[in-house]
Amino acid sequence: MGASPIFVRFASPEVGPFASAFWRVALALPVLYLWMRIEEAKAPADAPKVSFTKATVLAGLAFTGDLFFWHLSILNTTVANATFFATTAPLFVILIVWLFLKQRVSRGTLVGLALCLAGGAALIGQSLQVDPSRLRGDLYGIFTAFFFGLYFLTIGKARKTAGAARVTFEAGIVTSACLLVIALLFDSRVMPHTWQSIAALTSLAFISQAGGIGLLAVALGRLPPVFSSLVIFLEAIAAALFGWVILGEALTLIQSLGGALILFGIWAARPKPQAPASK
């Protein structure tokens, strides 16, 4: 998922932000459908397979909000700013779980979150730019984090009644339908015309959507959403690495230490194995 800002930038000369978000999800649907058929063919006969549950539909709507503001953020502020604010999604996940779902948040999770936030600030902080002309893009990044937090929670709920492929495919149908309407209403540039834009959108669909979001759904069926949301900080590491490899932006010692802090924070927040019940 960390490669998505680069693909969006490559596609932006020909398609608008909402159109690129639509193509990201729509072009991934055939791949996700094929994955769903393979996954369910290999699943046990009694495996849960409920279609279009309330949680799945809500996940599709939440991801619509996420991509709506994410693509606006990428094009209205720096990639570093957009990535940094988007990685605050775990804050919203923890707040929703604690304040609204009344669930206890472990100390290890809070320690891990603090380490990840510190690592993210160290990794991206040197590239952050405080510019009044970009404040709107920064605000879009915060909205991105809020909706992505909702996505984590709703996908985690949906995975209780269906496999990762079905949930990702069905949520993608909801998201692509919503984004198509938004693109047709607000974007004047919807269709790509050059191979560069087509390749960027295809890569966005196959790598960031089918690959990244699909694997995220797999994880959310096996791990708590609060912990899984911390992996969003890996996008900051990916963004820094892509900036180094593709844009030639060398990593400083502070940035390297920030990446190490993120990895340590995720390790610190990992779910602990349950002690065996005493007889």
Side-chain angles (χ1 to χ4, degrees):
M1 293 188 291
S4 61
I6 294 176
F7 296 140
V8 172
R9 285 290 179 88
F10 277 131
S12 62
E14 289 193 20
V15 297
F18 308 126
S20 63
F22 161 73
W23 289 117
R24 165 184 172 149
V25 183
L27 291 176
L29 289 178
V31 178
L32 294 173
Y33 178 77
L34 179 61
W35 176 29
M36 180 182 71
R37 295 300 299 268
I38 294 174
E39 181 184 67
E40 294 183 348
K42 295 181 177 180
D46 59 346
K49 192 171 59 176
V50 182
S51 297
F52 288 101
T53 63
K54 181 180 178 180
T56 301
V57 174
L58 289 175
L61 295 176
F63 199 56
T64 299
D66 169 64
L67 290 183
F68 179 90
F69 288 107
W70 172 234
H71 285 230
L72 280 179
S73 180
I74 293 171
L75 298 179
N76 285 276
T77 188
T78 64
V79 171
N81 283 36
T83 303
F84 177 77
F85 288 112
T87 56
T88 61
L91 280 174
F92 292 102
V93 173
I94 289 176
L95 286 174
I96 293 172
V97 165
W98 178 46
L99 293 176
F100 296 99
L101 301 182
K102 306 298 182 183
Q103 296 179 11
R104 179 179 173 274
V105 179
S106 70
R107 181 180 301 176
T109 298
L110 295 177
V111 170
L113 174 63
L115 290 171
C116 286
L117 286 172
L123 187 63
I124 304 177
Q126 292 178 314
S127 301
L128 292 177
Q129 299 178 13
V130 180
D131 187 342
S133 66
R134 294 193 175 102
L135 288 180
R136 184 172 62 177
D138 296 341
L139 184 62
Y140 291 150
I142 295 174
F143 281 121
T144 299
F146 171 74
F147 281 105
F148 203 26
L150 288 179
Y151 180 78
F152 273 96
L153 294 172
T154 50
I155 282 290
K157 178 74 172 177
R159 284 287 280 110
K160 295 180 179 179
T161 56
R166 175 169 290 275
V167 167
T168 309
F169 173 71
E170 293 179 350
I173 290 177
V174 175
T175 300
S176 58
C178 295
L179 288 174
L180 176 60
V181 174
I182 293 171
L184 293 176
L185 288 176
F186 298 107
D187 266 342
S188 58
R189 299 170 294 124
V190 176
M191 295 296 297
H193 300 288
T194 66
W195 284 110
Q196 175 179 307
S197 293
I198 294 173
L201 293 172
T202 304
S203 300
L204 186 65
F206 290 2
I207 297 174
S208 299
Q209 183 65 21
I213 297 299
L215 289 173
L216 180 61
V218 174
L220 285 167
R222 305 177 183 182
L223 297 167
V226 171
F227 168 73
S228 299
S229 68
L230 292 178
V231 302
I232 193 65
F233 285 100
L234 293 178
E235 283 201 36
I237 296 179
L241 291 176
F242 283 124
W244 176 35
V245 175
I246 298 176
L247 304 178
E249 299 174 352
L251 296 176
T252 66
L253 177 60
I254 293 178
Q255 287 177 305
S256 300
L257 291 175
L261 268 181
I262 289 174
L263 295 176
F264 185 66
I266 293 175
W267 177 83
R270 72 195 187 284
K272 305 300 188 294
Q274 298 292 327
S278 58
K279 296 183 180 179

